[in-house]
């Protein structure tokens, strides 16, 4: 299932924890075909999303949350 998700551009190959050559090839192929998440102009990796959403300022979006809940800040 995981390989199919990467193959169709629906998941990232997390290279930090995986040196699996097949996953790398599947992601490169999906990127070249510009399918799934690779059809977006600026896809954001899940690990970057979880780092505090620094990219929000780059694309002009407000930060999530209202400042009262640590889960979203």
């Amino acid at each position: 299932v995981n390989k199919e998700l990467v193959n169709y551009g629906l998941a990232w190959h997390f290279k930090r924890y995986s040196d699996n050559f097949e996953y790398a090839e599947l992601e490169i192929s999906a990127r070249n075909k510009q399918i799934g998440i690779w059809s977006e102009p600026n896809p954001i990796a899940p690990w970057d999303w979880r780092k505090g959403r620094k990219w929000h300022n780059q694309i002009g979006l407000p930060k999530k949350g209202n400042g009262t809940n640590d889960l979203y800040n």
Side-chain angles (χ1 to χ4, degrees):
V1 173
N2 291 336
K3 288 179 183 177
E4 288 300 305
L5 290 171
V6 175
N7 185 45
Y8 287 103
L10 302 175
W12 298 68
H13 172 218
F14 198 176
K15 297 161 196 75
R16 182 175 181 182
Y17 297 106
S18 168
D19 59 0
N20 185 301
F21 188 70
E22 187 176 0
Y23 279 100
E25 284 185 326
L26 292 170
E27 183 178 303
I28 290 167
S29 175
R31 284 177 182 247
N32 289 338
K33 294 176 190 172
Q34 296 183 337
I35 57 175
I37 55 180
W38 309 116
S39 66
E40 296 294 324
N42 296 306
I44 300 165
W47 46 90
D48 290 335
W49 173 267
R50 291 187 295 266
K51 282 184 183 175
R53 301 169 182 88
K54 293 178 184 176
W55 56 270
H56 271 92
N57 292 337
Q58 295 172 0
I59 60 174
L61 294 176
K63 286 188 175 184
K64 188 174 182 179
N66 60 8
T68 62
N69 187 333
D70 289 339
L71 179 63
Y72 294 109
N73 294 314

